[in-house]
Amino acid sequence: MRVLVTAGPTREYLDDVRYISNASSGRMGVALAEALRDAGHAPVLVIGPVSVPMPHGVVVEPVETTAEMLEACRRHFPDCDGVIAAAAVCDYRPRNRVTGKMSKTGEPITVEMIETDDVLAELGHGKQHRWVVGFALEAANERENALQKLRAKNCDVVVLNGPAAIGAEETSVELIGPDGRRLAAWQGTKRSVAHKLVEWIERHLAARQPQNDTHR
Ligand code: CTP
């Protein structure tokens, strides 16, 4: 299979030197790309700015902003069998990016923020025969919110995790299906969880697809 993986944070710039972002390390997405590669698949990793080393034997598309992530995903998704969206995408961006560097004024400032495009929602709604695995980072009403995201973004399953996963070596996840049921639960290193998820996808999502790939 050829599989698109989104990973890492995105950055949204206030001016040419300042941005808002989050503490995502990109580890989960890199572990997923490695697990896919190890299982004989062809991952395409679209990844925001991170300091972890990039995996060998994987097509890597580094991006910075959400708009760049969306553009790269639009380009690669049509050639893929599915997507795993592990990126911690910035939900808001400043409405205006100032050219150069904003100077201090000695007064509080207000920055108007608008929503960024939802990369996963766009891929989900245009998925046709492809499978779509989303992530949901929830701090409260976890399963309910995860199910809402699954529906809103037209995912086949959602990997539910918590804020402790951001930037961490280990993670604890639940796989939530379209009826809100827990289909699996795994915890451990992101590497081990990535392998479990790839195995699950092979068994439950890839198996139902027409076999037209040359990568396996
Ligand atoms: N996602 C995305 N593009 C965005 C926001 C989120 O592709 N602009 C994807 C993430 O990669 C993840 C899923 O959508 O697979 C859910 O992300 P999450 O941060 O949990 O939720 P949001 O949709 O951002 O909603 P909220 O922040 O309100 O919980």
Side-chain angles (χ1 to χ4, degrees):
M1 295 186 284
R2 184 177 294 277
V3 180
L4 180 61
V5 178
T6 71
T10 56
R11 286 180 182 168
E12 300 301 335
Y13 281 86
L14 291 146
D15 62 18
D16 288 345
V17 295
R18 301 183 181 93
Y19 54 80
I20 59 163
S21 190
N22 60 67
S24 168
S25 65
R27 275 197 199 99
M28 191 68 224
V30 167
L32 284 162
E34 287 173 340
L36 286 159
R37 177 203 63 197
D38 294 349
H41 303 295
V44 178
L45 180 62
V46 174
I47 187 162
V50 294
S51 54
V52 292
M54 287 303 102
H56 298 290
V58 167
V59 175
V60 178
E61 275 258 2
V63 297
E64 209 176 353
T65 64
T66 306
E68 287 170 8
M69 183 169 276
L70 179 60
E71 189 277 324
C73 288
R74 278 183 181 152
R75 219 168 349 99
H76 287 289
F77 195 47
D79 297 330
C80 290
D81 299 282
V83 58
I84 310 176
V89 183
C90 264
D91 289 329
Y92 289 92
R93 68 174 174 85
R95 183 189 284 279
N96 299 308
R97 174 176 171 162
V98 173
T99 307
K101 180 171 174 266
M102 287 160 69
S103 302
K104 283 198 291 186
T105 62
E107 298 289 328
I109 61 163
T110 302
V111 178
E112 192 179 0
M113 306 282 280
I114 59 173
E115 278 190 24
T116 54
D117 290 319
D118 194 310
V119 179
L120 176 59
E122 178 171 321
L123 300 178
H125 290 294
K127 71 180 181 181
Q128 298 171 339
H129 59 280
R130 297 174 195 84
W131 51 262
V132 172
V133 176
F135 270 64
L137 184 68
E138 304 300 341
N141 297 329
E142 291 85 352
R143 285 201 198 157
E144 245 169 70
N145 291 347
L147 181 58
Q148 227 169 37
K149 283 179 192 171
L150 179 149
R151 291 185 176 145
K153 305 185 193 216
N154 204 24
C155 299
D156 296 283
V157 288
V158 159
V159 180
L160 167 60
N161 61 6
I166 283 273
E169 295 273 355
E170 304 217 333
T171 191
S172 172
V173 307
E174 287 187 2
L175 198 62
I176 306 295
D179 55 3
R181 269 194 305 153
R182 188 174 91 160
L183 303 174
W186 305 299
Q187 59 180 323
T189 59
K190 287 183 175 175
R191 190 184 146 87
S192 71
V193 170
H195 274 91
K196 298 276 187 210
L197 179 59
V198 167
E199 272 169 27
W200 192 94
I201 290 170
E202 285 173 331
R203 219 168 321 122
H204 297 274
L205 297 179
R208 67 168 204 213
Q209 293 215 303
Q211 290 301 304
N212 60 351
D213 69 84
T214 50
H215 300 289
R216 234 213 120 149

